Amino acid sequence: MAVAGYQILLDGLVRTLLLSVSCIIISLCIGVLIGIMQTSKQSVIRSVAKGYSELFRGLPIVITLFLVFFILPEAGIEVNSYISAMIGLSLWSSANISVAVRGAIQSISPTQVEASMALGLSGLQTMRYVILPQAFRRMLPSVIGLLSNLIQTTSLSILIGNLDLLKSAQILIERVEIMEGGAIAFQVYSLVLIVYFIICYPLSLLSRKMEKKLA
């Protein structure tokens, strides 16, 4: 491949990484909040949070992407394919993260909450200073695994026209085959596979290592 071909792939990789980082930040913020809400003593808050989690975990990711991409413009909210992908993937990943957060919080002994209250801490202070620091360590392995899956799942954004690494590979293949008449699909897709492996495999190893350490 010529230098221009590598530049096309590099642009796609940058967009994929930007999309991944954006989704990670958004989904962590929303997922932690929804996870905390699922442990609320107020049934309305708990039900709304669990409904959010079950809805976006139950829907296929592709359907969520299509819903965001096609319904928001109908509601008068104009979004491009990149923003649509970011919203759709963030909804899916935050729902999954919220389950990990809820499980981690519920794994903390209730006696610690009682002891914190006895020391004069409010419910918010107990959650912030006692529960969440411990829950964070327990949920970290599963969250890292989810983030690895999120990076891989960004490839589905090609279905709504987002120009990611996979889409860039397709463009490069079509351009070379039209202009030069050569078939380079195997080489290009092999390179894309290697890139995803380099990004995701270390995260998978880290997740397994932390799970063993916590066990």
Side-chain angles (χ1 to χ4, degrees):
M1 290 185 293
V3 175
Y6 287 108
Q7 185 60 47
I8 292 174
L9 291 178
L10 180 60
D11 292 341
L13 174 60
V14 170
R15 289 181 64 88
T16 293
L17 292 176
L18 287 175
L19 177 61
S20 299
V21 171
S22 301
C23 291
I24 287 171
I25 294 173
I26 295 172
S27 59
L28 280 174
C29 294
I30 298 177
V32 171
L33 177 61
I34 297 297
I36 293 174
M37 290 171 62
Q38 289 181 34
T39 64
S40 173
K41 295 181 179 179
Q42 298 186 18
S43 59
V44 174
I45 295 177
R46 188 171 62 251
S47 298
V48 169
K50 287 185 176 180
Y52 173 96
S53 174
E54 294 301 321
L55 173 63
F56 292 112
R57 289 178 67 231
L59 282 177
I61 305 174
V62 175
I63 299 300
T64 303
L65 290 173
F66 283 155
L67 286 174
V68 174
F69 186 68
F70 291 109
I71 290 181
L72 286 184
E74 292 294 329
I77 304 174
E78 295 297 329
V79 290
N80 56 29
S81 57
Y82 177 86
I83 299 298
S84 297
M86 183 172 64
I87 295 173
L89 292 172
S90 296
L91 290 173
W92 171 78
S93 55
S94 62
N96 283 280
I97 289 174
S98 71
V99 175
V101 173
R102 182 190 67 194
I105 291 175
Q106 292 178 339
S107 70
I108 305 299
S109 173
T111 57
Q112 296 196 34
V113 177
E114 297 170 1
S116 300
M117 294 296 187
L119 291 173
L121 296 180
S122 65
L124 183 61
Q125 290 173 325
T126 300
M127 180 63 68
R128 179 180 177 182
Y129 296 113
V130 179
I131 304 300
L132 282 182
Q134 298 180 73
F136 180 77
R137 289 193 294 271
R138 299 186 183 189
M139 72 182 184
L140 199 54
S142 57
V143 168
I144 292 175
L146 286 170
L147 297 182
S148 176
N149 290 335
L150 172 61
I151 295 173
Q152 299 172 46
T153 308
T154 57
S155 61
L156 292 177
S157 65
I158 189 177
L159 298 175
I160 57 173
N162 183 48
L163 186 61
D164 68 339
L165 178 59
L166 187 58
K167 181 65 174 179
S168 298
Q170 291 184 351
I171 292 173
L172 175 59
I173 292 169
E174 293 172 359
R175 183 174 301 180
V176 171
E177 290 180 348
I178 292 174
M179 297 180 63
E180 302 180 11
I184 62 165
F186 178 78
Q187 297 94 310
V188 173
Y189 284 129
S190 295
L191 181 58
V192 171
L193 174 64
I194 292 171
V195 170
Y196 274 114
F197 180 81
I198 291 174
I199 295 174
C200 297
Y201 186 64
L203 290 175
S204 299
L205 286 179
L206 178 61
S207 176
R208 293 175 199 165
K209 182 178 180 180
M210 295 189 68
E211 284 180 353
K212 291 180 179 179
K213 184 177 180 180
L214 288 175

